[in-house]
Amino acid sequence: MKRKWTAAAALAAAAALITGCSGGSGGSGGSGAAPEEKVTLTYANWSEDQSPAMEQIATEFEKANPNIDVKIQTLPWPEYWSTLQVGAAGGTAPDAFWMLADHFREYAKGGQLLDLSDTVKSAGIDMSVYPKAVSDSYTYEGKIFALPKDFDTNGIWYNKALFDAAKVPYPDDTWTWQNVQDAAKKLTDKAKGVWGIAAPIDAQGGFYNTMLQAGAQIINPEGTASDFASPAGVAGLKFWTDLQAAGDSPTLKQLSDTEAVSMFENQKVAMYLSGAYWAFRFHNNADLKGKVDVAPLPQGVKRATVTSGIGNAGYAGSKHPEELKKFLAFLGGTKAAEIQAATGTVLPAYKGTQQPWLDAMPEFNLKVFIDAIDYSVPLPVAGNAAEWQGLAAQYLTPAWNGEKPVEQAAKEYQDAVDKVLAKQ
């Protein structure tokens, strides 16, 4: 029997993950357990929206493997990461869990992830079916430690009703930065509490993309230095600070009180530049029915978007490594991808399984996200990426608030990032 933890039960879930995971309570055997003995695997995630699909995937796996029971565990962010960190260090982590590229290396370096290299060979898994940028993100020292679950690129989510009211043409693939800025100004109506765009300090959905579009690298190919203070890097940051300075975005304080995605859902923001992963949430919001669509990101000097995706990883200390490998191989296969796609839950990484995702939400021009693969760049994950990315708000907030020149804030952030990279 599978169980699901909700956000309301976060504390209880954290206790369960710390004290009772890594094989759970089912069966006494490890990898050599007799077929009739029941083995329990735990599978952790951080998304309530995706939990039903994860339950369905687990059920399909159990049908083919009746001696293995999979328990789905859902924790809200950031409890998920703090609990995983404690569990991985203390020997009580879930058997299977979601991993992100910017956290991956620290877990891989610490020997906390199950090596799937032999499983990929024995199960005949063709790694070319996944976007290379995503699969490469979960390879460390030539070994594979996670199989891609999904992937994401970015686009302009926009509210058609607000565009119509302001008599502004919808975004399309010809839009440049100037088009976005001009539209944001026309769409902003302070009297109605409506802003043209949300401009938070958002790396993956925001300034990474504009830096790349301006010609910056973000991190050099060797992973030893960052590029925030270069002319192109500053230009990519200024795209966002200019929107803040013009008053065409909610302030950082307002975006702290209410997240950008929530302001978009509340129809207080007309444009929100972000990823494919919001499609399912917007699709399920009845208040947005017929009002929302998506277009490609605007072009700077060139067209670009960062891409990344969740990987399904396993705990190296699992009491049931063979059963776990079998489950992870299933999670990386076509059936699991098809379930994710057909339910509209997320854009699956497995090549050839994306069409049902498009069909599940025909009101959106979701092909934008698939087409973006052609000009996508891997999310930068050099060094301790979670650490240096976590410094962004500290160093960039003064620029967003107009308290420091962008050039100065960018240089201070670059110096801080380079210090982290030097610790590799």
Side-chain angles (χ1 to χ4, degrees), residues 55-78:
E55 294 277 0
Q56 189 175 339
I57 289 169
T59 297
E60 286 298 316
F61 174 75
E62 290 170 343
K63 288 179 182 177
N65 300 274
N67 66 310
I68 305 176
D69 182 53
V70 179
K71 290 183 178 180
I72 305 298
Q73 300 178 334
T74 303
L75 278 175
W77 190 295

Side-chain angles (χ1 to χ4, degrees), residues 4 7 26 32 73 82-83 93 102 111 126 187 220 227 233 239 256 259 294 310 375:
K4 180 175 70 175
Q73 300 178 334
S82 59
T83 302
D102 54 359
D126 179 5
L187 290 159
N220 67 13
D227 198 23
F239 172 84
S256 175
E259 287 184 315
V294 65
I310 294 172
Y375 52 87

Side-chain angles (χ1 to χ4, degrees), residues 85-407:
Q85 184 178 32
V86 171
T92 57
D95 296 288
F97 45 86
W98 289 0
M99 180 52 61
L100 286 180
D102 54 359
H103 289 71
F104 163 73
R105 288 188 177 221
E106 292 309 299
Y107 285 90
K109 285 168 63 178
Q112 296 162 332
L113 302 180
L114 190 67
D115 182 0
L116 300 178
S117 304
D118 289 340
T119 301
V120 167
K121 293 178 182 178
S122 62
I125 297 173
D126 179 5
M127 296 300 292
S128 70
V129 301
Y130 310 115
K132 189 175 187 300
V134 181
S135 59
D136 285 354
S137 296
Y138 296 110
T139 301
Y140 180 70
E141 294 185 343
K143 298 178 180 178
I144 300 168
F145 289 98
L147 295 176
K149 168 187 172 293
D150 52 46
F151 77 97
D152 52 78
T153 54
N154 296 283
I156 306 175
W157 288 103
Y158 64 96
N159 186 304
K160 294 189 290 185
L162 294 177
F163 270 74
D164 291 344
K167 296 181 171 55
V168 175
Y170 298 155
D172 60 29
D173 62 2
T174 68
W175 270 35
T176 64
W177 289 6
Q178 190 64 54
N179 291 119
V180 171
Q181 291 167 331
D182 292 344
K185 187 170 294 296
K186 294 176 183 177
L187 290 159
T188 298
D189 188 335
K190 297 291 180 64
K192 294 181 179 179
V194 173
W195 289 269
I197 195 169
I201 299 178
D202 177 7
Q204 187 170 344
F207 63 84
Y208 281 176
N209 301 295
T210 48
M211 285 178 63
L212 291 167
Q213 290 163 9
Q217 290 184 310
I218 305 177
I219 303 293
N220 67 13
E222 297 75 27
T224 57
S226 59
D227 198 23
F228 295 99
S230 69
V234 170
L237 296 173
K238 278 182 62 63
F239 172 84
W240 300 97
T241 60
D242 286 350
L243 289 166
Q244 281 284 348
D248 297 330
S249 164
T251 65
L252 286 187
K253 174 65 168 62
Q254 290 168 320
L255 290 168
S256 175
D257 293 339
T258 306
E259 287 184 315
V261 64
S262 297
M263 295 194 82
F264 182 77
E265 284 191 291
N266 294 337
Q267 302 185 68
K268 296 298 183 183
V269 164
M271 290 183 287
Y272 178 42
L273 278 60
S274 196
Y277 38 80
W278 296 120
F280 192 58
R281 175 166 166 173
F282 297 158
H283 171 74
N284 289 330
N285 187 331
D287 293 337
L288 297 182
K289 187 174 180 60
K291 296 179 180 178
V292 168
D293 205 350
V294 65
L297 286 180
Q299 300 179 64
V301 174
K302 61 181 181 179
R303 193 181 293 281
T305 178
V306 292
T307 185
S308 186
I310 294 172
N312 283 306
Y315 179 45
S318 171
K319 295 176 182 177
H320 309 294
E322 296 309 312
E323 289 85 356
L324 176 55
K325 289 175 183 178
K326 184 179 292 188
F327 180 52
L328 290 169
F330 182 83
L331 290 175
T334 55
K335 187 62 178 179
E338 288 167 353
I339 290 172
Q340 291 185 104
T343 56
T345 301
V346 76
L347 179 55
Y350 201 101
K351 186 177 180 180
T353 65
Q354 289 93 18
Q355 188 61 45
W357 183 73
L358 301 178
D359 296 340
M361 297 171 285
E363 71 271 29
F364 303 139
N365 182 25
L366 296 178
K367 194 170 181 293
V368 160
F369 296 113
I370 296 175
D371 291 343
I373 296 172
D374 293 339
Y375 52 87
S376 64
V377 177
L379 185 74
V381 293
N384 187 339
E387 180 181 354
W388 60 258
Q389 288 178 5
L391 298 173
Q394 175 184 341
Y395 287 95
L396 298 180
T397 292
W400 255 249
N401 286 338
E403 298 162 352
K404 281 186 181 180
V406 179
E407 293 83 357

